[in-house]
Amino acid sequence: MEIRNIAIIAHVDHGKTTLTDALMRQTGMVTDEAISMDNNDLELERGITIYSKNASLFYKGTKINIVDTPGHADFGSEVERVLRSIDSVLLVVDAQEGPMPQTKFVLKKSLELGLKPIVVLNKIDKPAANVDLAHDQILELFMDLGANDEQLDFVTVYAIGREGIAKKNINDESKDLMPLLDAIVENVSSAKADTSLPLLIQPFNLAYDDFLGRLAVGRIYEGSIKKGDKVIVKKPTGEIRKASVTKISTFHGTERKEVNQADAGDIVILAGIADIYIGETICSNENQKPLPAITVDEPTISVNFLVNNSPFAGKEGKFVTIRQIRERLEKELEVNVGLRIDFSAVDSFKVFGRGEMHIAILLENMRRQGYELQISQPSVIIKEKNGKKLEPFEEITIDIPDEFSGTVIEKMAKRKGNMIEMKSENGNTRIIFEIPTRGILGYRGEFIIDTKGEGILCSRVIEFREYVGEIKKRHLGSMVSMLAGKALGFSLYNLQDRGELYIKPNIEVYEGMVIGNASKGKDLTVNPIKGKHLTNMRASGSDENLKLVPPIEITLESGMEIMQEDEYLEITPKNIRLRKKLLKDNDRVIAKR
């Protein structure tokens, strides 16, 4: 049987997963309408793909292995390692929005590897969809990214993923996705299936099973493998070790199907190699050359992970010690190739990631598993080269209603953003900026307020450039509790005029905990547990109901944005709190001196 290996790549929310789900249903690989490729709790809650997933379908006697990849720039490392193991990509682009930052990032990687993409213009039923313009923008993007003549001659398919419809020509009649499947079979070269050569497999993903232990998900480039085979595992550095394969599975729809033998060209899951890592080479003899290592772009921000030492430490978490946090981070490193961790310090770990969301997803998973810890303010990685300081720069694409463009341009200019392009159409403006990562840190929340929730902001890291100096941002002070106890409505009512609160009445607070921001820009030490002084006198109007403004809820992402240098974000399975590093007011005064 012929095999085609493809990955679906796109910017976040352009419809990759919806399209994959529809393909699975229409080919009979999935019968339950509710089953989706996004099956992780966080993916379902946020509506985005975070982890790459494998599936397969059968069409006209051909097996098509599909890898659904994340669309958010912070999870680019997931995409980079997948692209090495496939033969072509479906580039899904929203017919209204056109190519967006992540489209450029993943397309650049696939073109560099010599892949010839099939372009899927999705959501052509949108009222503002402009198919011709989107097609021209994609062609322009291919040229900008240095595509060769063969890559420029790409096939375009028009689709409505939600309705499960695809067309080869925009005016064709269609009721299913068969035209897309035909395009894949016709234009994607069949995977090389030479079983006479010695075995060669490279894992691009890892999975875990409670009974089988660590599993390697990889592409068989050459040869074949049988259950019980003895294999050699080679690191890119040349080190070797021996192992035995205890179980082989291939993908059948979204399920795993156990087989006794798998041949070249297929994507398999292997059990039995307990210490396998992504990018290593599984082969049959010691003389074979290891495959090139899978490289991913370097991280851009760092965060310190520490043991929680607040007055509420240990009350809500199951795993609270430095040893337990270390073990969890070491486990994460095995599967999260975009992450780097420095374990050299005794009381903390420096975690390097691709962006705030990349680290926020790790923290969210940890707190759901019962971990309790605190983190420092995210900081940008600064490098030195030839005596010059270098910092990461990002390309920011902003789509906003025309009326908000002035405010956004002013804010971006203050943050050292350089406008590259500006287009206005149908009452909406698209502006592209190049800005230091330092400038964009902490701005997303402000952007939502500035654009009244109507703006879209997307980013991708471009490169490290020369350091641009100090960046001035809007600075708010913190409202810090001076006492421990239960916050009372009477006290919070009097404090809400001084800034925005982060807590509701009847919430337990401690000394040094941040309960709100102070609009004047300086830290305020306040008493949130002060009750109303009772007397036997009754005054007109003073016993009316207190009207409290709903507090701002601190989430992981918003907490990482609003926290200051002298603060920690305390993360437990039940709560996320902001606190000062030094809890006592007197200690903070001395430290400032």
Side-chain angles (χ1 to χ4, degrees):
M1 182 185 286
E2 285 196 346
I3 295 172
R4 306 281 196 276
N5 294 315
I6 60 164
I8 298 193
I9 59 174
H11 183 78
V12 67
D13 207 29
H14 277 201
K16 298 178 305 302
T17 305
T18 308
L19 197 65
T20 312
D21 290 345
L23 284 169
M24 289 290 129
R25 284 194 289 273
Q26 289 188 19
T27 51
M29 305 313 293
V30 172
T31 50
D32 188 347
E33 290 285 319
I35 291 175
S36 169
M37 293 289 283
D38 282 351
N39 49 21
N40 176 278
D41 287 346
L42 281 178
E43 292 179 322
L44 294 169
E45 285 169 27
R46 291 165 182 256
I48 61 168
T49 305
I50 297 169
Y51 308 104
S52 58
K53 321 259 183 349
N54 293 74
S56 73
L57 55 88
F58 296 88
Y59 180 70
K60 291 185 177 176
T62 302
K63 181 181 183 181
I64 302 173
N65 282 317
I66 297 175
V67 191
D68 183 20
T69 62
H72 197 283
D74 284 12
F75 309 108
S77 58
E78 291 273 330
V79 184
E80 287 174 68
R81 65 188 190 209
V82 164
L83 291 176
R84 282 276 295 276
S85 63
I86 45 93
D87 301 311
S88 184
V89 290
L90 293 188
L91 178 71
V92 181
V93 179
D94 186 310
Q96 179 182 320
E97 291 184 0
M100 293 289 272
Q102 185 68 0
T103 317
K104 296 177 191 176
F105 172 80
V106 289
L107 179 61
K108 184 171 185 278
K109 297 283 175 193
S110 55
L111 292 175
E112 283 170 359
L113 289 166
L115 301 173
K116 185 182 176 183
I118 294 171
V119 174
V120 180
L121 276 174
N122 196 23
K123 306 188 184 183
I124 56 171
D125 58 330
K126 275 187 168 183
N130 190 332
V131 174
D132 294 334
L133 178 64
H135 186 277
D136 291 347
Q137 288 173 339
I138 294 165
L139 183 62
E140 209 174 290
L141 181 60
F142 269 70
M143 290 174 176
D144 291 346
L145 297 176
N148 59 36
D149 291 347
E150 193 186 348
Q151 289 168 330
L152 283 170
D153 187 24
F154 56 81
V155 173
T156 306
V157 178
Y158 306 92
I160 307 170
R162 192 177 52 187
E163 293 176 18
I165 296 170
K167 310 172 182 186
K168 284 193 175 176
N169 296 300
I170 192 73
N171 297 318
D172 289 356
E173 286 295 317
S174 178
K175 58 182 186 299
D176 54 29
L177 288 168
M178 298 311 137
L180 175 58
L181 289 168
D182 288 333
I184 292 168
V185 173
E186 289 164 19
N187 296 288
V188 179
S189 55
S190 179
K192 289 177 185 172
D194 195 341
T195 53
S196 60
L197 294 168
L199 177 71
L200 211 55
I201 301 175
Q202 187 171 47
F204 62 84
N205 210 347
L206 296 175
Y208 189 82
D209 185 282
D210 289 339
F211 301 102
L212 300 168
R214 199 190 298 187
L215 308 171
V217 182
R219 159 95 181 254
I220 308 177
Y221 288 95
E222 293 170 3
S224 59
I225 188 165
K226 291 190 182 80
K227 190 176 174 179
D229 275 0
K230 304 283 186 227
V231 294
I232 302 288
V233 181
K234 284 194 169 190
K235 288 189 174 184
T237 52
E239 294 168 50
I240 60 168
R241 60 190 188 278
K242 293 179 180 178
S244 179
V245 177
T246 56
K247 187 176 176 181
I248 304 168
S249 304
T250 59
F251 291 95
H252 188 87
T254 54
E255 303 294 317
R256 295 171 186 173
K257 182 183 176 186
E258 192 176 345
V259 292
N260 289 319
Q261 179 177 329
D263 299 324
D266 212 348
I267 290 173
V268 291
I269 308 148
L270 303 178
I273 312 170
D275 52 356
I276 190 71
Y277 276 91
I278 288 164
E280 292 184 331
T281 303
I282 300 167
C283 50
S284 52
N285 65 67
E286 295 181 15
N287 302 324
Q288 287 172 266
K289 272 188 175 180
L291 289 160
I294 293 176
T295 56
V296 295
D297 285 351
E298 54 195 307
T300 56
I301 69 165
S302 68
V303 173
N304 283 326
F305 281 38
L306 307 98
V307 168
N308 185 16
N309 62 358
S310 84
F312 293 170
K315 287 185 178 181
E316 296 166 7
K318 191 173 161 190
F319 308 109
V320 296
T321 66
I322 195 90
R323 180 183 58 81
Q324 288 166 330
I325 294 169
R326 184 191 184 102
E327 284 172 1
R328 176 64 182 80
L329 292 176
E330 283 172 345
K331 192 178 173 186
E332 185 69 24
L333 276 180
E334 293 173 5
V335 291
N336 197 337
V337 292
L339 208 67
R340 305 271 187 280
I341 302 172
D342 179 4
F343 291 107
S344 59
V346 180
D347 58 346
S348 68
F349 308 117
K350 198 160 197 170
V351 178
F352 302 90
R354 294 285 284 264
E356 286 167 292
M357 188 180 258
H358 187 202
I359 290 174
I361 292 293
L362 165 61
L363 288 165
E364 185 61 48
N365 280 325
M366 285 178 72
R367 72 184 280 247
R368 289 183 185 205
Q369 290 158 9
Y371 286 84
E372 187 176 302
L373 69 157
Q374 58 190 14
I375 61 164
S376 66
Q377 184 188 44
S379 60
V380 167
I381 296 167
I382 307 290
K383 298 198 301 187
E384 279 226 9
K385 195 175 179 184
N386 303 328
K388 287 182 180 176
K389 272 168 79 174
L390 302 176
E391 64 175 328
F393 268 70
E394 298 189 20
E395 182 188 275
I396 308 290
T397 301
I398 291 174
D399 284 326
I400 43 171
D402 292 345
E403 67 215 72
F404 304 125
S405 57
T407 310
V408 171
I409 291 167
E410 185 189 347
K411 292 269 175 83
M412 294 298 273
K414 283 180 181 173
R415 291 166 173 263
K416 300 282 170 86
N418 181 25
M419 193 196 296
I420 301 298
E421 195 180 310
M422 183 174 175
K423 286 179 189 168
S424 191
E425 197 177 320
N426 301 327
N428 278 315
T429 303
R430 173 172 289 186
I431 317 170
I432 300 175
F433 293 94
E434 286 183 355
I435 186 170
T437 301
R438 278 185 306 133
I440 205 68
L441 280 183
Y443 175 62
R444 289 173 195 272
E446 211 176 305
F447 173 78
I448 291 166
I449 295 163
D450 288 345
T451 60
K452 297 182 180 171
E454 292 184 53
I456 299 169
L457 186 150
C458 307
S459 64
R460 71 179 180 107
V461 177
I462 353 176
E463 60 184 351
F464 277 79
R465 292 184 186 168
E466 205 167 325
Y467 188 78
V468 295
E470 190 192 349
I471 293 175
K472 285 184 179 175
K473 301 178 186 178
R474 177 178 167 228
H475 184 69
L476 292 170
S478 296
M479 216 182 281
V480 188
S481 173
M482 64 167 69
L483 294 165
K486 196 173 274 188
L488 298 176
F490 174 77
S491 184
L492 296 181
Y493 175 75
N494 291 320
L495 292 174
Q496 66 185 8
D497 294 335
R498 300 185 175 197
E500 295 163 314
L501 296 172
Y502 303 149
I503 61 165
K504 295 185 280 194
N506 298 321
I507 295 284
E508 288 286 342
V509 299
Y510 55 79
E511 184 182 1
M513 180 172 153
V514 177
I515 63 156
N517 64 44
S519 48
K520 284 195 173 178
K522 289 184 179 177
D523 287 357
L524 277 179
T525 307
V526 297
N527 180 0
I529 65 170
K530 181 179 161 190
K532 184 178 179 184
H533 183 59
L534 298 176
T535 69
N536 59 356
M537 301 292 288
R538 189 177 171 88
S540 171
S542 64
D543 291 320
E544 289 172 4
N545 285 336
L546 302 175
K547 287 182 183 173
L548 285 169
V549 177
I552 296 170
E553 187 190 350
I554 295 183
T555 61
L556 274 167
E557 281 103 327
S558 68
M560 287 164 78
E561 278 188 12
I562 60 180
M563 69 190 295
Q564 295 175 27
E565 211 174 321
D566 65 338
E567 292 171 356
Y568 285 139
L569 191 64
E570 182 187 348
I571 299 157
T572 75
K574 293 179 183 173
N575 288 293
I576 295 168
R577 305 181 188 95
L578 263 178
R579 53 156 288 195
K580 289 290 180 185
K581 288 181 181 178
L582 300 170
L583 297 176
K584 292 192 179 295
D585 187 38
N586 202 33
D587 293 343
R588 294 197 294 275
V589 172
I590 293 166
K592 274 183 183 173
R593 284 179 191 161

